[in-house]
Amino acid sequence: MTVDRDLVLELESLSAIALSEEERAAAQADLQGMIDRFDKLDELDTEGVEPLTYVFPLANVMREDAVAESIGIEALLANAKRVKDGAFAVPRAVE
């Protein structure tokens, strides 16, 4: 892949930034250097290598689902600004 001036201008527009001509030239050179380094990886023989999804082993970290005592309605609503019919009263969001 080749990074040309048009690609730098498109990235500049997508990023909502304004670069000077010198900055565009530097960005083009930097981006091309990055692409060249990734292209170097294409030379590696990866035949028989399993794709790696995660570096660290993952385990379900969820707690056991168990019934527990909850706080009472009175304690729950104690700091509510407004209460109506045993529930939080909030301004209407949809007309």
Side-chain angles (χ1 to χ4, degrees):
M1 176 181 182
T2 302
V3 178
D4 58 4
R5 187 172 190 281
D6 291 337
L7 178 59
V8 174
L9 289 172
E10 183 177 349
L11 292 172
E12 183 179 344
S13 173
L14 290 171
S15 303
I17 59 174
L19 299 175
S20 66
E21 284 303 320
E22 295 81 24
E23 291 170 326
R24 282 188 194 111
Q28 182 175 347
D30 289 343
L31 290 169
Q32 188 61 57
M34 289 180 222
I35 297 296
D36 291 343
R37 285 184 187 92
F38 279 103
D39 285 343
K40 185 84 171 150
L41 293 174
D42 288 337
E43 298 173 12
L44 293 175
D45 178 21
T46 57
E47 186 68 33
V49 177
E50 290 286 325
L52 181 65
T53 307
Y54 297 102
V55 177
F56 299 107
L58 294 180
N60 189 351
V61 294
M62 306 270 298
R63 65 174 169 76
E64 186 69 29
D65 190 15
V67 176
E69 291 293 321
S70 65
I71 63 174
I73 296 288
E74 296 80 21
L76 182 66
L77 298 174
N79 292 323
K81 190 172 184 179
R82 293 185 346 192
V83 176
K84 181 178 178 186
D85 299 328
F88 293 102
V90 296
R92 172 175 260 157
V94 179
E95 295 293 326

